[in-house]
Amino acid sequence: MRWLLLAAVTLVVGSALLLKWRRPAWYWMTFGAAGAMLKVRFRYASVMDACDLTVAASRFRLTLARWFNWDVPRQRVPRLLWIRPTRTGLRLRVRMRPGQDAFDYSAAVDRLRHAFGVHQVTSREIKPGTVEIAMTGYDVLKRVQMPARTDGGELRIPVALCEDGSVHYRDYRQVPHSITLGAVGSGKSVTQRRVIRELAAQNVALVGIDCKNGVELAPLARRFSALADNADDAADLLEALVARMETIYQVIRQQQRISADIPDAEITADIWGLPEHLRPVPVVLTIDEIAELALFTTAAEKKRRERSVVALVRLAQLGRAAGIFLDIYGQRFGSELGDGITMLRAQLTGRMSHRVNDESSAKMAFGDISPHAVFAATQIRNDRPGMAVVGYSNGEWTRIRSAYTSMREAVSACNKHADLTPDLPELARFRPLADLAPVEAPAVATAA
């Protein structure tokens, strides 16, 4: 009987160690979550005290203790409202004591991480007096596995996994325009393919500008309504989008029907308030490398650059209501690219930065958001392509990593949903060929 019990214990411990090594998500759901909950329950008060998250007893209790010669009352521990296990960690809802601030918990997350023995701890304020502490049991960004069910929708797509185990969404209705920065090999193309793959299944028109002769976007041409593979065509394409935007505004103006007998709720200022049969299809413009549109060497290229930048600024300022959204990718996005770039950057609400090689590149994305996000963008490891830092307008930021999407997967999704590609009359001359002819490889001289 003793040998049987020993064999069972050995089997369980061996299985747990094997799961922890090979399948950390399975280990967490079978063994890790229960152990972490017990650890939090039994060590909560002592950890809060050690992390300076307790407050002194009230003056009333201190006065009673002094009058009746009682022992000095203990420090008051924040109340743990509930603890909930998740797929990747734990969620703790804590009621703060009077005199505490949400920043106290944000400043103590690293100490809490070591005290509870978890991989990552983040804190955020839920409402006045209540904070939520999110604990991640393992490194969810090491091997990204998106959940089977996501909360996507129209123009809202799941893009990556956050460090706390939640899903990062690209919501074009809330954040119409975005910029994605990153050094060579940092994973910008992985993120771009992921976004296009998710958008391919939606009722949107994809428009692309890839001045690298289309090597990134040309394989996905079956799902694109328009595609420009050089800077000259890109300038014409951007001006055509501006013309489309002005036409849509004329439609909106005609359909507003402003009169005394029309309810205020039926008056619209964007395409989403139009009748469904009159609503134009939304357009998502993807620019693979913004610097190729801004650099110039001759007078003719300078005029072309001015046309492109002016059209981009107009689309960023006015395109949202017309259903035109921008996704801009580049290695740098600073004032050295010339006039108009700073004005354009001010209109790009979404900020994402992959690994960068210098601090100034990170400041281009997060300098006006958070200095901590700037530092985090420079600390991304080289062996984690697709990992990035996302900053929000309120000063918050988080680390994310896109699920790896190969070119084969993106091409398959675009070909599968090629029938959803709308034909835009304004962009007819930029319609990419459905069947791309193979390009003959140039002859390369070799040494004898």
Side-chain angles (χ1 to χ4, degrees):
M1 185 67 181
R2 182 181 301 176
W3 290 103
L4 183 60
L5 180 61
L6 182 61
V9 172
T10 304
L11 179 62
V12 172
V13 173
S15 301
L17 294 177
L18 182 62
L19 286 176
K20 188 175 183 180
W21 176 45
R22 300 294 296 176
R23 291 290 185 268
W26 296 2
Y27 168 79
W28 175 258
M29 290 185 290
T30 53
F31 301 98
M37 290 184 64
L38 292 176
K39 185 184 295 185
V40 170
R41 286 291 185 182
F42 285 105
R43 301 183 59 185
Y44 176 76
S46 60
V47 167
M48 291 293 109
D49 190 15
C51 294
D52 296 329
L53 293 178
T54 57
V55 298
S58 64
R59 298 176 64 180
F60 177 72
R61 295 180 61 187
L62 292 175
T63 302
L64 290 179
R66 186 170 59 253
W67 285 354
F68 296 100
N69 199 22
W70 292 343
D71 294 336
V72 177
R74 299 173 54 187
Q75 296 282 103
R76 290 189 294 174
V77 179
R79 182 182 176 186
L80 180 60
L81 299 179
W82 50 256
I83 176 173
R84 179 181 302 166
T86 64
R87 187 177 63 93
T88 58
L90 299 177
R91 300 275 179 172
L92 279 66
R93 191 67 62 87
V94 177
R95 169 73 69 178
M96 293 185 292
R97 289 295 184 178
Q100 289 185 325
D101 185 82
F103 179 76
D104 298 334
Y105 292 82
S106 300
V109 293
D110 201 46
R111 287 174 287 174
L112 292 172
R113 177 173 69 91
H114 292 290
F116 288 123
V118 293
H119 178 76
Q120 185 71 30
V121 175
T122 58
S123 172
R124 66 187 183 96
E125 182 180 351
I126 300 298
K127 60 181 181 180
T130 304
V131 296
E132 183 177 88
I133 300 176
M135 298 182 180
T136 306
Y138 59 96
D139 188 1
V140 298
L141 301 184
K142 183 178 181 180
R143 183 182 177 185
V144 178
Q145 294 180 337
M146 300 292 289
R149 296 181 180 179
T150 55
D151 189 20
E154 184 181 11
L155 290 174
R156 187 173 190 265
I157 58 175
V159 174
L161 204 63
C162 299
E163 60 182 347
D164 62 353
S166 60
V167 178
H168 173 70
Y169 294 91
R170 175 73 170 94
D171 193 335
Y172 290 90
R173 298 285 294 273
Q174 293 186 358
V175 182
H177 313 307
S178 71
I179 174 69
T180 302
L181 301 179
V184 176
S186 60
K188 297 190 304 295
S189 297
V190 174
T191 302
Q192 185 182 47
R193 289 195 293 263
R194 175 74 185 185
V195 171
I196 294 175
R197 175 190 171 186
E198 295 294 332
L199 286 175
Q202 299 206 7
N203 184 28
V204 298
L206 297 179
V207 177
I209 295 178
D210 182 5
C211 293
K212 296 184 295 187
N213 288 329
V215 295
E216 292 287 349
L217 300 182
L220 315 175
R222 292 180 182 273
R223 185 56 182 84
F224 275 73
S225 299
L227 180 62
D229 59 1
N230 59 80
D232 294 329
D233 288 346
D236 296 337
L237 175 57
L238 291 172
E239 291 179 345
L241 285 173
V242 172
R244 172 182 171 83
M245 177 184 67
E246 294 174 349
T247 302
I248 292 176
Y249 276 130
Q250 294 177 5
V251 175
I252 295 175
R253 187 66 183 88
Q254 295 172 359
Q255 296 297 321
Q256 282 182 324
R257 306 184 305 276
I258 301 177
S259 61
D261 57 343
I262 297 297
D264 294 342
E266 296 184 9
I267 300 176
T268 182
D270 54 35
I271 65 171
W272 312 111
L274 294 176
E276 189 172 353
H277 67 283
L278 293 177
R279 185 182 307 161
V281 61
V283 175
V284 176
L285 171 62
T286 299
I287 302 178
D288 185 67
E289 181 53 64
I290 184 63
E292 292 299 320
L293 298 180
L295 299 177
F296 65 92
T297 56
T298 64
E301 291 180 352
K302 182 178 181 180
K303 292 181 180 179
R304 181 262 302 157
R305 182 237 181 234
E306 292 176 353
R307 291 170 51 204
S308 299
V309 172
V310 169
L312 267 177
V313 172
R314 294 189 64 188
L315 290 174
Q317 291 180 339
L318 307 175
R320 182 202 62 82
I324 299 177
F325 310 100
L326 305 182
D327 278 337
I328 299 178
Y329 299 82
Q331 298 178 24
R332 289 176 65 86
F333 197 66
S335 57
E336 69 271 9
L337 295 181
D339 298 336
I341 294 300
T342 303
M343 183 183 299
L344 175 61
R345 185 175 60 186
Q347 304 298 326
L348 305 177
T349 306
R351 305 290 178 86
M352 181 189 299
S353 176
H354 292 75
R355 174 179 53 81
V356 292
N357 297 328
D358 59 321
E359 186 179 358
S360 61
S361 296
K363 286 183 177 179
M364 296 176 188
F366 307 124
D368 52 352
I369 293 179
S370 171
H372 302 289
V374 173
F375 178 76
T378 61
Q379 300 300 308
I380 297 176
R381 293 163 47 179
N382 296 348
D383 59 347
R384 293 202 172 184
M387 188 170 179
V389 175
V390 175
Y392 305 97
S393 301
N394 60 354
E396 297 181 358
W397 61 275
T398 184
R399 295 182 184 89
I400 66 170
R401 190 179 185 188
S402 302
Y404 179 74
T405 303
S406 65
M407 179 62 76
R408 182 185 298 272
E409 294 173 341
V411 170
S412 176
C414 289
N415 293 342
K416 178 181 178 181
H417 302 288
D419 57 329
L420 297 179
T421 305
D423 291 326
L424 306 182
E426 306 90 341
L427 311 179
R429 63 178 289 251
F430 304 101
R431 182 75 170 92
L433 297 178
D435 297 315
L436 299 177
V439 179
E440 182 178 356
V444 179
T446 58

